[in-house]
Amino acid sequence: MHDSTLKTDWLKSVATVFLQSHKYDKARPLLELALMLYPGDPAALKKLAYLHFQKKEYRQAISYCNEYEHNHRNAIESRLFLLRSLCHQELKEKELALTYFEKFSSSRKTL
């Protein structure tokens, strides 16, 4: 295992503890550092999307979802479809909210 992988795993683990404790401002720099060390890291991108959703920063949450989808085109992450749907709902973008909720529902049926 590479040294940078160990560092990113440690950073994400500590960030997860902060996220669970609702200490988003402490989790954020750790996750951003994990992305700097390992660009496109799927766990860091998902955690950052969740963090921004919790902070009501819906556009930023969607941005991390987009980055995840761009870097991991073949991965189906149903929870991110739901998160995007909720973000669009909060932004009063009903059609997009419905589109992503339908993607969430379809992805759950195939699992």
Side-chain angles (χ1 to χ4, degrees):
M1 193 175 276
H2 293 128
D3 190 43
S4 64
T5 303
L6 289 173
K7 287 178 186 173
T8 57
D9 288 347
W10 181 85
L11 290 168
K12 290 181 291 187
S13 295
V14 174
T16 298
V17 172
F18 285 134
L19 286 172
Q20 292 171 342
S21 304
H22 305 281
K23 296 179 180 176
Y24 306 118
D25 292 333
K26 291 187 181 221
R28 182 185 197 161
L30 298 175
L31 294 168
E32 289 172 346
L33 181 56
L35 277 179
M36 285 176 51
L37 292 171
Y38 188 69
D41 180 271
L45 290 170
K46 289 187 281 187
K47 289 176 190 298
L48 280 162
Y50 171 78
L51 179 151
H52 286 286
F53 176 79
Q54 291 300 318
K55 292 186 74 173
K56 300 183 183 339
E57 298 169 346
Y58 305 117
R59 293 269 177 233
Q60 192 64 28
I62 291 168
S63 176
Y64 280 109
C65 290
N66 288 342
E67 190 173 342
Y68 176 90
E69 287 178 8
H70 176 76
N71 290 316
H72 309 282
R73 294 180 193 269
N74 295 327
I76 295 175
E77 185 57 57
S78 62
R79 289 175 290 182
L80 287 184
F81 290 146
L82 181 58
L83 183 68
R84 286 177 74 125
S85 176
L86 295 170
C87 287
H88 287 297
Q89 181 178 341
E90 291 296 329
L91 293 168
K92 309 291 188 233
E93 298 170 344
K94 293 179 182 179
E95 285 187 34
L96 286 169
L98 182 58
T99 297
Y100 282 101
F101 185 77
E102 288 171 349
K103 286 184 176 190
F104 167 73
S105 295
S106 313
S107 68
R108 302 289 291 169
K109 291 175 187 171
T110 60
L111 296 178

